[in-house]
Amino acid sequence: MNKVNQDNAPATQNIVKNRRQLVLWIGALAVGAVLGTLGLHGLDALMTFVATVYTRLFQFLAVPTIVLAITTTLASIGTQKDTGRIFRHAVTYTLLTTFAAAAVGLILYLLIRPGNLPAQMVAGGQGAIPKTLGGETYYDHILAVVPNNLVQPFLEANVLSLLLVAAAVGIALAKMPVSPRRDTVMNLLLGLQDILFMLIRALIWALPLGILAFAAQLSAQVSAGVVADSLGRYIAVILGGNVLQFFVVLPLFLLARGINPVRHLGRMLPAVLMAFFTKSSAATLPVTMDTAEKRAGVAPKVSRFVLPICTTINMNGCAAFILVTSLFVMQNGGTHFTLPMMLLWLVIAVISAIGNAGVPMGCYFLTLSLMTGQGAPVGIMGIILPIYTIIDMVETAENVWSDSCVAAMTDKDMKGELHR
């Protein structure tokens, strides 16, 4: 019994720590909102400076995080043995559930129709970025995805181009025979990824200051009634899509495979709650694997292969967030969407989410990078940041719930073919 208590102690400490962090973030949001109403010019200028610094730091970390996550994931897949069938099942369910999540978000966006933010705020955010895409056709935009050198995609923050490069390098590493040279490259990439995660954790540690600044900036610059209506509709789309995916779409997938969704959710509840408080599917992974095997009865050969992969590529909540937020930000920048354009962005959101790192605020970093590459008014991402804490918690819980569903469905498909 003492051994069990000792094993559970770190998880309990993490939950308490993250609850305290949540209280601190909410407190920073409240204090920032109050400071913004004071109307002090010097204070407003300081808050704007701090908010700009945080936005630049997010942009700095976003691109390399995406590239390394995709490269290392694809490269590591190639080192696994006798997992071809498991991998195919897992990827199929991942794509189906992720497309479904993005589609639900798109449908809600069309039904609820969030309005635009005040023009002065959009203009302020737009003034900080170059207008490089105004005269481009879609042919030019698609052609620009194919890089002609290694440096240009990084300098331009062209995420689609970087996704292509990362995928190519990852697949090439996966196909390379095992050798000291390959191991050296992999260790270098994994080491760089660890460094980035350390930097992200440091930025998140100091994030209350950023939230305070963004909340003060929002409170000082924007008419509360207009923003409340526009942001309220945006939040309704994001959270409504997550709720539908969590309680309707994913259970329907489980029922189609003959799995009781209520029973499975009850067994996976410890991992889902852990994900809610940590806001990181990667940090929750050990709990997810242990819960899937010991409580949900998933074969270890399935859980220990599928769940680590799903932590990176199965991002239901992230796909919906990327799509809805991208549409919202670009709409505020003056873009008028047709249905084919929205469907194109649905595909982009799914592809981008597949390469997202399972770390806190990973979806936020990814969306910010995408919008930077599009020349959209990324200042709006600062307005979203104070409310992203709650969104991130809900999305991470949904992602881990989806990971467990993919593992359970794959396990059901592979029954009789695995030695347990």
PDB file of all heavy atoms in Angstrom, residues 357-382:
ATOM      1  N   ALA A 357       3.278  19.697 -31.067  1.00  0.00           N
ATOM      2  CA  ALA A 357       3.878  19.089 -29.881  1.00  0.00           C
ATOM      3  C   ALA A 357       2.867  19.051 -28.745  1.00  0.00           C
ATOM      4  O   ALA A 357       2.118  20.003 -28.538  1.00  0.00           O
ATOM      5  CB  ALA A 357       5.110  19.886 -29.447  1.00  0.00           C
ATOM      6  N   GLY A 358       2.846  17.931 -27.995  1.00  0.00           N
ATOM      7  CA  GLY A 358       1.888  17.770 -26.909  1.00  0.00           C
ATOM      8  C   GLY A 358       2.326  18.475 -25.648  1.00  0.00           C
ATOM      9  O   GLY A 358       2.501  17.851 -24.599  1.00  0.00           O
ATOM     10  N   VAL A 359       2.513  19.780 -25.719  1.00  0.00           N
ATOM     11  CA  VAL A 359       2.960  20.580 -24.583  1.00  0.00           C
ATOM     12  C   VAL A 359       1.954  21.685 -24.345  1.00  0.00           C
ATOM     13  O   VAL A 359       1.162  22.021 -25.230  1.00  0.00           O
ATOM     14  CB  VAL A 359       4.362  21.193 -24.843  1.00  0.00           C
ATOM     15  CG1 VAL A 359       5.390  20.105 -24.996  1.00  0.00           C
ATOM     16  CG2 VAL A 359       4.345  22.095 -26.075  1.00  0.00           C
ATOM     17  N   PRO A 360       1.957  22.280 -23.135  1.00  0.00           N
ATOM     18  CA  PRO A 360       1.025  23.380 -22.881  1.00  0.00           C
ATOM     19  C   PRO A 360       1.176  24.496 -23.907  1.00  0.00           C
ATOM     20  O   PRO A 360       2.282  24.888 -24.266  1.00  0.00           O
ATOM     21  CB  PRO A 360       1.430  23.860 -21.475  1.00  0.00           C
ATOM     22  CG  PRO A 360       2.029  22.656 -20.837  1.00  0.00           C
ATOM     23  CD  PRO A 360       2.728  21.925 -21.939  1.00  0.00           C
ATOM     24  N   MET A 361       0.054  24.969 -24.415  1.00  0.00           N
ATOM     25  CA  MET A 361      -0.005  26.081 -25.370  1.00  0.00           C
ATOM     26  C   MET A 361       0.560  25.721 -26.741  1.00  0.00           C
ATOM     27  O   MET A 361       0.833  26.601 -27.550  1.00  0.00           O
ATOM     28  CB  MET A 361       0.691  27.325 -24.816  1.00  0.00           C
ATOM     29  CG  MET A 361       0.059  27.851 -23.548  1.00  0.00           C
ATOM     30  SD  MET A 361       0.680  29.469 -23.071  1.00  0.00           S
ATOM     31  CE  MET A 361       0.012  30.475 -24.402  1.00  0.00           C
ATOM     32  N   GLY A 362       0.738  24.414 -27.001  1.00  0.00           N
ATOM     33  CA  GLY A 362       1.263  24.009 -28.305  1.00  0.00           C
ATOM     34  C   GLY A 362       0.383  24.472 -29.453  1.00  0.00           C
ATOM     35  O   GLY A 362       0.882  24.939 -30.483  1.00  0.00           O
ATOM     36  N   CYS A 363      -0.950  24.375 -29.284  1.00  0.00           N
ATOM     37  CA  CYS A 363      -1.873  24.811 -30.336  1.00  0.00           C
ATOM     38  C   CYS A 363      -1.794  26.323 -30.545  1.00  0.00           C
ATOM     39  O   CYS A 363      -1.895  26.802 -31.675  1.00  0.00           O
ATOM     40  CB  CYS A 363      -3.302  24.425 -29.978  1.00  0.00           C
ATOM     41  SG  CYS A 363      -3.576  22.659 -29.869  1.00  0.00           S
ATOM     42  N   TYR A 364      -1.611  27.037 -29.454  1.00  0.00           N
ATOM     43  CA  TYR A 364      -1.508  28.492 -29.548  1.00  0.00           C
ATOM     44  C   TYR A 364      -0.275  28.882 -30.350  1.00  0.00           C
ATOM     45  O   TYR A 364      -0.330  29.723 -31.253  1.00  0.00           O
ATOM     46  CB  TYR A 364      -1.449  29.099 -28.148  1.00  0.00           C
ATOM     47  CG  TYR A 364      -1.445  30.611 -28.133  1.00  0.00           C
ATOM     48  CD1 TYR A 364      -2.636  31.317 -28.097  1.00  0.00           C
ATOM     49  CD2 TYR A 364      -0.250  31.319 -28.155  1.00  0.00           C
ATOM     50  CE1 TYR A 364      -2.642  32.705 -28.079  1.00  0.00           C
ATOM     51  CE2 TYR A 364      -0.243  32.701 -28.139  1.00  0.00           C
ATOM     52  CZ  TYR A 364      -1.447  33.381 -28.097  1.00  0.00           C
ATOM     53  OH  TYR A 364      -1.443  34.762 -28.099  1.00  0.00           O
ATOM     54  N   PHE A 365       0.884  28.261 -30.025  1.00  0.00           N
ATOM     55  CA  PHE A 365       2.106  28.540 -30.759  1.00  0.00           C
ATOM     56  C   PHE A 365       1.927  28.252 -32.248  1.00  0.00           C
ATOM     57  O   PHE A 365       2.342  29.026 -33.110  1.00  0.00           O
ATOM     58  CB  PHE A 365       3.263  27.691 -30.226  1.00  0.00           C
ATOM     59  CG  PHE A 365       3.687  28.038 -28.833  1.00  0.00           C
ATOM     60  CD1 PHE A 365       4.196  27.065 -27.993  1.00  0.00           C
ATOM     61  CD2 PHE A 365       3.577  29.333 -28.350  1.00  0.00           C
ATOM     62  CE1 PHE A 365       4.603  27.366 -26.716  1.00  0.00           C
ATOM     63  CE2 PHE A 365       3.973  29.646 -27.065  1.00  0.00           C
ATOM     64  CZ  PHE A 365       4.485  28.663 -26.238  1.00  0.00           C
ATOM     65  N   LEU A 366       1.305  27.117 -32.540  1.00  0.00           N
ATOM     66  CA  LEU A 366       1.146  26.691 -33.923  1.00  0.00           C
ATOM     67  C   LEU A 366       0.262  27.662 -34.695  1.00  0.00           C
ATOM     68  O   LEU A 366       0.598  28.074 -35.817  1.00  0.00           O
ATOM     69  CB  LEU A 366       0.517  25.285 -33.927  1.00  0.00           C
ATOM     70  CG  LEU A 366       1.152  24.247 -34.845  1.00  0.00           C
ATOM     71  CD1 LEU A 366       0.614  22.863 -34.524  1.00  0.00           C
ATOM     72  CD2 LEU A 366       0.927  24.575 -36.294  1.00  0.00           C
ATOM     73  N   THR A 367      -0.856  28.039 -34.116  1.00  0.00           N
ATOM     74  CA  THR A 367      -1.771  28.957 -34.790  1.00  0.00           C
ATOM     75  C   THR A 367      -1.132  30.325 -34.989  1.00  0.00           C
ATOM     76  O   THR A 367      -1.277  30.946 -36.049  1.00  0.00           O
ATOM     77  CB  THR A 367      -3.072  29.113 -33.975  1.00  0.00           C
ATOM     78  OG1 THR A 367      -3.599  27.814 -33.678  1.00  0.00           O
ATOM     79  CG2 THR A 367      -4.106  29.900 -34.746  1.00  0.00           C
ATOM     80  N   LEU A 368      -0.414  30.784 -33.981  1.00  0.00           N
ATOM     81  CA  LEU A 368       0.277  32.064 -34.086  1.00  0.00           C
ATOM     82  C   LEU A 368       1.287  32.044 -35.229  1.00  0.00           C
ATOM     83  O   LEU A 368       1.398  32.990 -36.012  1.00  0.00           O
ATOM     84  CB  LEU A 368       0.977  32.390 -32.771  1.00  0.00           C
ATOM     85  CG  LEU A 368       1.782  33.688 -32.714  1.00  0.00           C
ATOM     86  CD1 LEU A 368       0.865  34.879 -32.926  1.00  0.00           C
ATOM     87  CD2 LEU A 368       2.505  33.799 -31.387  1.00  0.00           C
ATOM     88  N   SER A 369       1.999  30.930 -35.363  1.00  0.00           N
ATOM     89  CA  SER A 369       2.979  30.807 -36.444  1.00  0.00           C
ATOM     90  C   SER A 369       2.292  30.793 -37.808  1.00  0.00           C
ATOM     91  O   SER A 369       2.751  31.430 -38.757  1.00  0.00           O
ATOM     92  CB  SER A 369       3.806  29.532 -36.251  1.00  0.00           C
ATOM     93  OG  SER A 369       4.832  29.448 -37.199  1.00  0.00           O
ATOM     94  N   LEU A 370       1.190  30.083 -37.907  1.00  0.00           N
ATOM     95  CA  LEU A 370       0.435  30.053 -39.164  1.00  0.00           C
ATOM     96  C   LEU A 370      -0.047  31.441 -39.555  1.00  0.00           C
ATOM     97  O   LEU A 370       0.060  31.858 -40.711  1.00  0.00           O
ATOM     98  CB  LEU A 370      -0.770  29.115 -39.026  1.00  0.00           C
ATOM     99  CG  LEU A 370      -0.574  27.643 -39.347  1.00  0.00           C
ATOM    100  CD1 LEU A 370      -1.832  26.860 -38.986  1.00  0.00           C
ATOM    101  CD2 LEU A 370      -0.244  27.435 -40.817  1.00  0.00           C
ATOM    102  N   MET A 371      -0.590  32.170 -38.598  1.00  0.00           N
ATOM    103  CA  MET A 371      -1.109  33.507 -38.889  1.00  0.00           C
ATOM    104  C   MET A 371       0.004  34.498 -39.233  1.00  0.00           C
ATOM    105  O   MET A 371      -0.182  35.388 -40.047  1.00  0.00           O
ATOM    106  CB  MET A 371      -1.923  34.019 -37.698  1.00  0.00           C
ATOM    107  CG  MET A 371      -3.221  33.244 -37.439  1.00  0.00           C
ATOM    108  SD  MET A 371      -4.369  33.319 -38.854  1.00  0.00           S
ATOM    109  CE  MET A 371      -3.928  31.824 -39.775  1.00  0.00           C
ATOM    110  N   THR A 372       1.165  34.313 -38.617  1.00  0.00           N
ATOM    111  CA  THR A 372       2.308  35.149 -38.973  1.00  0.00           C
ATOM    112  C   THR A 372       2.697  34.925 -40.420  1.00  0.00           C
ATOM    113  O   THR A 372       2.967  35.872 -41.170  1.00  0.00           O
ATOM    114  CB  THR A 372       3.497  34.837 -38.056  1.00  0.00           C
ATOM    115  OG1 THR A 372       3.132  35.088 -36.702  1.00  0.00           O
ATOM    116  CG2 THR A 372       4.698  35.705 -38.407  1.00  0.00           C
ATOM    117  N   GLY A 373       2.719  33.665 -40.844  1.00  0.00           N
ATOM    118  CA  GLY A 373       3.051  33.351 -42.228  1.00  0.00           C
ATOM    119  C   GLY A 373       2.026  33.867 -43.222  1.00  0.00           C
ATOM    120  O   GLY A 373       2.359  34.126 -44.385  1.00  0.00           O
ATOM    121  N   GLN A 374       0.785  34.050 -42.766  1.00  0.00           N
ATOM    122  CA  GLN A 374      -0.274  34.538 -43.654  1.00  0.00           C
ATOM    123  C   GLN A 374      -0.366  36.056 -43.681  1.00  0.00           C
ATOM    124  O   GLN A 374      -1.133  36.622 -44.452  1.00  0.00           O
ATOM    125  CB  GLN A 374      -1.629  33.979 -43.197  1.00  0.00           C
ATOM    126  CG  GLN A 374      -1.800  32.494 -43.462  1.00  0.00           C
ATOM    127  CD  GLN A 374      -1.799  32.186 -44.937  1.00  0.00           C
ATOM    128  OE1 GLN A 374      -2.514  32.790 -45.719  1.00  0.00           O
ATOM    129  NE2 GLN A 374      -0.971  31.225 -45.334  1.00  0.00           N
ATOM    130  N   GLY A 375       0.397  36.726 -42.832  1.00  0.00           N
ATOM    131  CA  GLY A 375       0.294  38.180 -42.767  1.00  0.00           C
ATOM    132  C   GLY A 375      -0.985  38.640 -42.110  1.00  0.00           C
ATOM    133  O   GLY A 375      -1.448  39.757 -42.346  1.00  0.00           O
ATOM    134  N   ALA A 376      -1.589  37.802 -41.282  1.00  0.00           N
ATOM    135  CA  ALA A 376      -2.839  38.145 -40.604  1.00  0.00           C
ATOM    136  C   ALA A 376      -2.528  39.001 -39.372  1.00  0.00           C
ATOM    137  O   ALA A 376      -1.389  39.046 -38.902  1.00  0.00           O
ATOM    138  CB  ALA A 376      -3.583  36.873 -40.203  1.00  0.00           C
ATOM    139  N   PRO A 377      -3.536  39.692 -38.824  1.00  0.00           N
ATOM    140  CA  PRO A 377      -3.314  40.543 -37.650  1.00  0.00           C
ATOM    141  C   PRO A 377      -3.081  39.718 -36.391  1.00  0.00           C
ATOM    142  O   PRO A 377      -4.003  39.440 -35.627  1.00  0.00           O
ATOM    143  CB  PRO A 377      -4.608  41.356 -37.559  1.00  0.00           C
ATOM    144  CG  PRO A 377      -5.632  40.513 -38.228  1.00  0.00           C
ATOM    145  CD  PRO A 377      -4.920  39.784 -39.329  1.00  0.00           C
ATOM    146  N   VAL A 378      -1.819  39.317 -36.157  1.00  0.00           N
ATOM    147  CA  VAL A 378      -1.511  38.422 -35.046  1.00  0.00           C
ATOM    148  C   VAL A 378      -1.713  39.091 -33.693  1.00  0.00           C
ATOM    149  O   VAL A 378      -1.711  38.404 -32.668  1.00  0.00           O
ATOM    150  CB  VAL A 378      -0.063  37.896 -35.160  1.00  0.00           C
ATOM    151  CG1 VAL A 378       0.088  36.995 -36.359  1.00  0.00           C
ATOM    152  CG2 VAL A 378       0.934  39.047 -35.211  1.00  0.00           C
ATOM    153  N   GLY A 379      -1.891  40.408 -33.658  1.00  0.00           N
ATOM    154  CA  GLY A 379      -2.190  41.069 -32.397  1.00  0.00           C
ATOM    155  C   GLY A 379      -3.448  40.524 -31.750  1.00  0.00           C
ATOM    156  O   GLY A 379      -3.593  40.563 -30.524  1.00  0.00           O
ATOM    157  N   ILE A 380      -4.361  40.002 -32.571  1.00  0.00           N
ATOM    158  CA  ILE A 380      -5.597  39.421 -32.034  1.00  0.00           C
ATOM    159  C   ILE A 380      -5.297  38.196 -31.183  1.00  0.00           C
ATOM    160  O   ILE A 380      -6.034  37.867 -30.254  1.00  0.00           O
ATOM    161  CB  ILE A 380      -6.563  39.074 -33.192  1.00  0.00           C
ATOM    162  CG1 ILE A 380      -6.992  40.366 -33.894  1.00  0.00           C
ATOM    163  CG2 ILE A 380      -7.790  38.329 -32.685  1.00  0.00           C
ATOM    164  CD1 ILE A 380      -7.866  40.143 -35.097  1.00  0.00           C
ATOM    165  N   MET A 381      -4.183  37.494 -31.489  1.00  0.00           N
ATOM    166  CA  MET A 381      -3.809  36.340 -30.673  1.00  0.00           C
ATOM    167  C   MET A 381      -3.529  36.760 -29.231  1.00  0.00           C
ATOM    168  O   MET A 381      -3.718  35.975 -28.304  1.00  0.00           O
ATOM    169  CB  MET A 381      -2.583  35.654 -31.266  1.00  0.00           C
ATOM    170  CG  MET A 381      -2.800  35.037 -32.643  1.00  0.00           C
ATOM    171  SD  MET A 381      -4.038  33.713 -32.645  1.00  0.00           S
ATOM    172  CE  MET A 381      -3.223  32.486 -31.631  1.00  0.00           C
ATOM    173  N   GLY A 382      -3.080  38.011 -29.048  1.00  0.00           N
ATOM    174  CA  GLY A 382      -2.882  38.520 -27.696  1.00  0.00           C
ATOM    175  C   GLY A 382      -4.192  38.695 -26.959  1.00  0.00           C
ATOM    176  O   GLY A 382      -4.257  38.531 -25.732  1.00  0.00           O
TER     177      GLY A 382
END
